[in-house]
Amino acid sequence: MPSFKNWDDLRYLIAFYRTGNMATAAQRLDSNPATVSRRMARLGEALGYPPFEKRPEGWVLNPRLESIVEQALKFDGALISAIRKENEETSGNLSGNITISVPMVVGTYILYPRLSEFMTAYPEINLSFILDSYQENLNDNDILMTPTRPEHGRLIASQTGVLRFGLYAHKEAGSKTDWAGLPIAVNKYAPTSVATEYFGCPPVVRLDSFQSLHRVASETGLSAPLPDFIGDKDPLFERIIDAPPLEEYPMYLCYHETRRSDPVLKAVREWIRDCMTDHQKTHYAS
């Protein structure tokens, strides 16, 4: 039976579990990596086994602690929600910090244009954006936006809209078959896999985001898969008509189930949904 003589060690355990990194956990705890390491060592001594195992993919929680961590996460989320609800009832204002992991193209073209509106409505809510186009897990974030519905963790995931893509050629390019693509790791997604099939060859250059694809394709004359709200508006490009159609990508808004009643998180969720809804109406009205 695990023994936690110092409950503060549990707080360090949860932070390390969420981040998978001692430096990031230390930052979250307003501590330092050496202290996190000492706490994990002390906890291992108390338990009689290491709380985490080092594997090629990173630090992995010891399976013997899974039920304890699950209950701790529930308590932590419920406590945050309760504190924020009490603060709202006491002061009448919503305040707090929210971290959002979102694909770069969604943040840049859909959320940022309406950020000042949110700041005016909720001046005491501080937002932090983590632009990660390929994130599929909530990790240490409060909200995750992803094209893939998470299959692990006790997350609430709801579709907030779709993104549409097309293959575009530079109007002044001599060759339409040379193209720019995304990293190999995302070949499973339709924009890259369909482009590879259509052009019959791998891309001559790979970039980390659709913004980078757009910029490089504009400068070099390469073809590229692009979100239609970028490609259709750029006079330098034309949609490749005979290319196979690209499927719509749903965007899911995800958060931990224990944060369902968190009033601050709810305000941010509603703002994101409004942004996505307006985007759909503007670009996909038909």
Side-chain angles (χ1 to χ4, degrees):
M1 182 73 177
S3 174
F4 292 92
K5 296 181 179 179
N6 187 333
W7 284 100
D8 197 44
D9 287 344
L10 187 60
R11 190 167 62 95
Y12 277 75
L13 175 71
I14 296 305
F16 192 23
Y17 170 76
R18 280 175 164 163
T19 63
N21 180 282
M22 288 191 182
T24 308
Q27 186 177 25
R28 177 185 177 89
L29 295 162
D30 194 23
S31 182
N32 58 73
T35 300
V36 175
S37 180
R38 285 196 301 271
R39 292 296 188 106
M40 292 301 99
R42 185 169 71 184
L43 184 57
E45 292 177 0
L47 295 171
Y49 53 83
F52 291 90
E53 300 173 356
K54 182 66 172 177
R55 297 181 183 175
E57 64 270 24
W59 290 99
V60 178
L61 180 71
N62 191 312
R64 298 172 66 177
L65 287 175
E66 287 180 354
S67 62
I68 291 176
V69 168
E70 181 179 342
Q71 294 303 316
L73 289 172
K74 287 182 179 180
F75 174 76
D76 185 58
L79 182 61
I80 292 173
S81 297
I83 291 173
R84 286 178 171 169
K85 189 173 182 179
E86 172 64 21
N87 288 341
E88 179 190 12
E89 293 175 351
T90 301
S91 66
N93 297 322
L94 291 177
S95 63
N97 303 315
I98 296 292
T99 301
I100 307 168
S101 176
V102 59
M104 186 180 295
V105 69
V106 174
T108 302
Y109 290 92
I110 301 177
L111 300 186
Y112 292 175
R114 294 188 57 179
L115 186 55
S116 60
E117 171 190 314
F118 180 87
M119 294 168 62
T120 299
Y122 302 103
E124 296 182 34
I125 297 180
N126 302 313
L127 301 181
S128 297
F129 292 91
I130 307 298
L131 301 180
D132 191 336
S133 300
Y134 317 116
Q135 180 62 263
E136 298 180 0
N137 298 303
L138 186 63
N139 292 345
D140 197 34
N141 304 296
D142 299 294
I143 291 175
L144 167 68
M145 293 194 69
T146 174
T148 305
R149 182 187 286 273
E151 298 180 354
H152 305 288
R154 295 181 177 274
L155 301 184
I156 295 175
S158 59
Q159 184 175 334
T160 59
V162 298
L163 299 182
R164 296 175 182 170
F165 298 85
L167 297 187
Y168 293 85
H170 198 290
K171 292 180 179 179
E172 299 178 3
S175 171
K176 305 292 186 182
T177 59
D178 290 334
W179 63 290
L182 295 170
I184 294 177
V186 295
N187 278 354
K188 63 180 180 179
Y189 297 120
T192 298
S193 61
V194 171
T196 301
E197 179 182 354
Y198 176 78
F199 293 117
C201 60
V204 297
V205 62
R206 294 183 183 271
L207 290 309
D208 64 343
S209 67
F210 286 109
Q211 286 88 329
S212 297
L213 278 183
H214 182 220
R215 178 64 182 272
V216 169
S218 299
E219 297 292 339
T220 62
L222 294 172
S223 299
L226 295 171
D228 59 0
F229 55 86
I230 296 178
D232 288 347
K233 287 187 174 183
D234 192 331
L236 289 176
F237 290 90
E238 57 186 0
R239 187 185 288 260
I240 300 176
I241 303 300
D242 63 341
L246 294 177
E247 63 187 64
E248 292 184 343
Y249 267 80
M251 289 303 304
Y252 295 99
L253 188 156
C254 313
Y255 57 97
H256 199 273
E257 64 178 10
T258 58
R259 305 286 297 282
R260 188 196 301 267
S261 62
D262 185 331
V264 175
L265 198 72
K266 182 180 179 181
V268 179
R269 296 197 320 259
E270 291 178 348
W271 171 70
I272 292 175
R273 289 196 179 98
D274 287 345
C275 292
M276 293 296 296
T277 298
D278 284 353
H279 174 78
Q280 304 297 121
K281 291 179 179 178
T282 301
H283 297 279
Y284 308 136
S286 58

